[in-house]
Structure formats: C-alpha cells, structure tokens
Amino acid sequence: MNDLILSASHVCKRFATHTALDDVSIDVQRGHIFGLLGHNGAGKTSLLRLLCGLEAPDQGSIHIDGLDIHQREGRMKRSQRIGMMFQNPDDQIIFPTVEEELALGLPGLKKREALQKAREFLAQRGLSDWAQRAISALSQGQRQHVCWLTLLLAGPATLLLDEPYASLDLPGQARLAHDLDRSDRQLIVSTHLLDHVRTYPRVLWLDQGQIRADGNGPDVCAAYEAHVRQLIAEAAHPAKAPHLAEGSRSTETAHPAQSTAPHHG
C-alpha cells in the first residue's frame, strides 16, 4: 500500500502585493501528523487552503492519492478525504444551531437521520445539552470546538487545522490536544503555540513563503525559537544586528529545509 496520501509539488501562490508561497513541496503520509510553524504572513494559511483545494496554485500541483485535486476525479476525492478547520470559526459555521452544523458534515443522510447522528455523537462526548444551543450563544472557543466536532463526525481522512488552539482556554486546548493524540487521521496542525507540536515527529517551518526547516519537532521548534530570540535581540540592539545575523545564519544551517527525519505513521 502506498503511504503517500497528499502531496504538493513546487507550488507557488501569488497575490497582487506579495508572493504567499514560493516553490514549496511537501507530502503527507498515511497516519502522519505534523506541525506547521511560521510568523504571521509566512504562508501557512495559504498552504492549507491550497492543500484542501479552496485555492489553486499559480504554479505546481497538488495530488491526493496520485490524482490532481483540481481535475474531476481529484475533486471528488478531496471532498471526501480532506477537511479544513479555519482559524476563525465564523468563517466556517453556516447553521444556527450546533446539531444542524454537525449534521452538515453528513450529506449522504436524510436530514432527520443526520440530526440524530449529530445528537448521538454529542451525547458520546458528554455534550448532549449542546445539541439545540444557538451558535450565536456560544463563545469564540466553543464555536471553534463545534468546527472540530463537525470535522470529527464527518470523518475525512486528512484534517488541516489552521490555528486550532487560538481561541481555546486551557481546558479546551487540553481536550483538543488529547483528541489529536488519539486520532488515526492524517493531520497538519498550524499553530504559534510550539508546545503543542514540539513532540511531533515532523514539523515544517515556513518563512516568507518558503520552507526554512523540515524535520523532527524538537529540533525545528528549537531553531524557530532561536530565530525569534534573534529578531528580538536585533530589535533591541540594532547596532549589533550584523554580528547577530551571522549567528542566525549558523543556526539555520543546523536545521536545513530538507531533513532526513523519517516520516512516522
């Protein structure tokens, strides 16, 4: 069985004022989880949107199970196999109640059956009282949790999560981290909270639309943290910036973009 599920090959994405992604190639293995790091504007969201087919690359290609996701067969596959959780839940939620939103992810069922499955799923997670709650009455973190539950119930094999911890309180972060640890899906988790991805077997660091490091979580997170400290030091002591920048370059060479770290299933 081929372990390669989803791949991006030399993709570029340009907008009127900037290039969001520049010659980026990645692959997603069966049962694989990896983190995605980078400053705001590094290209993380653009990459996730390309991988799930919401946008098309200006150059390069995206394949799922060997099929181009923008060709007919590939489009059918991506709708069944790939799900994305947006950073802002209000960009994703459509229906007025929790049970209706969860039922949205079950298009093959009649409305009554889908609603029943949604209620049963909520009950299994101790959230029966959420079923008929209005989305508008939920906090931002609760709405984000609804988006996660919708993806879980819908069951796509590959989940792309854009800043999933951003609106969650500490208990909510712990619940989500627990769900991710137990998941058998292919997962890409974009986050600024490094502790949630530090132990991952693979972490990708995007910088100005390019892959700056690709390797095991501890090494890539450490390199990214060193880079951030470097930027802070340069801002505080601009006269020393040339010397500090030289040290930064030595840090980068210790964590090249093309890592030999294995892809764990």
Side-chain angles (χ1 to χ4, degrees):
M1 180 183 293
N2 185 2
D3 286 336
L4 183 62
I5 299 295
L6 182 64
S7 66
S9 179
H10 303 288
V11 298
C12 297
K13 185 64 182 177
R14 302 182 184 91
F15 296 99
T17 59
H18 69 288
T19 297
L21 294 168
D22 183 12
D23 194 28
V24 169
S25 297
I26 68 166
D27 56 70
V28 180
Q29 306 288 332
R30 192 179 306 276
H32 190 135
I33 180 171
F34 70 85
L36 187 59
L37 304 178
H39 304 334
N40 291 335
K44 303 186 301 299
T45 297
S46 293
L47 178 58
L48 295 183
R49 290 178 67 86
L50 290 183
L51 289 174
C52 71
L54 287 176
E55 296 183 17
D58 295 310
Q59 290 178 229
S61 59
I62 313 282
H63 288 80
I64 180 169
D65 290 343
L67 301 171
D68 190 314
I69 66 171
H70 292 288
Q71 300 299 323
R72 183 176 180 275
E73 290 186 45
R75 285 197 301 270
M76 294 175 62
K77 279 266 188 181
R78 86 184 187 211
S79 65
Q80 301 164 356
R81 299 287 302 278
I82 306 174
M84 179 171 172
M85 180 171 148
F86 296 0
Q87 180 177 353
N88 184 350
D90 295 334
D91 292 337
Q92 186 160 355
I93 293 175
I94 297 175
F95 284 97
T97 67
V98 172
E99 63 181 7
E100 289 175 296
E101 184 64 26
L102 266 64
L104 173 66
L106 303 169
L109 300 177
K110 294 181 179 179
K111 181 178 180 180
R112 181 178 298 179
E113 295 172 339
L115 287 172
Q116 182 59 34
K117 280 196 171 293
R119 293 173 191 136
E120 292 171 356
F121 181 71
L122 288 168
Q124 291 168 8
R125 299 180 68 91
L127 297 171
S128 296
D129 59 326
W130 278 38
Q132 296 185 18
R133 291 185 67 178
I135 295 293
S136 60
L138 301 180
S139 70
Q140 185 83 352
Q142 289 172 326
R143 292 198 296 274
Q144 198 158 30
H145 193 54
V146 169
C147 293
W148 170 241
L149 294 177
T150 301
L151 277 182
L152 281 183
L153 182 59
T158 301
L159 303 180
L160 314 178
L161 311 182
D162 191 6
E163 298 291 347
Y165 297 102
S167 299
L168 301 181
D169 57 15
L170 288 178
Q173 290 182 35
R175 283 193 295 269
L176 177 59
H178 178 69
D179 282 345
L180 296 183
D181 287 343
R182 296 177 59 197
S183 177
D184 59 355
R185 320 283 180 90
Q186 292 78 47
L187 299 166
I188 301 180
V189 182
S190 169
T191 183
H192 292 296
L193 302 176
L194 272 59
D195 283 347
H196 288 298
V197 298
R198 194 181 302 276
T199 60
Y200 285 7
R202 185 183 180 194
V203 171
L204 194 77
W205 170 12
L206 280 178
D207 185 23
Q208 298 181 357
Q210 296 183 317
I211 297 176
R212 183 146 171 182
D214 181 356
N216 66 75
D219 285 349
V220 176
C221 287
Y224 181 68
E225 288 171 324
H227 173 67
V228 171
R229 289 193 297 269
Q230 189 69 42
L231 293 177
I232 293 171
E234 290 176 4
H237 304 285
K240 297 182 180 180
H243 169 71
L244 293 172
E246 187 174 331
S248 177
R249 285 194 295 273
S250 67
T251 299
E252 292 172 34
T253 59
H255 303 276
Q258 298 302 320
S259 169
T260 57
H263 297 174
H264 299 280

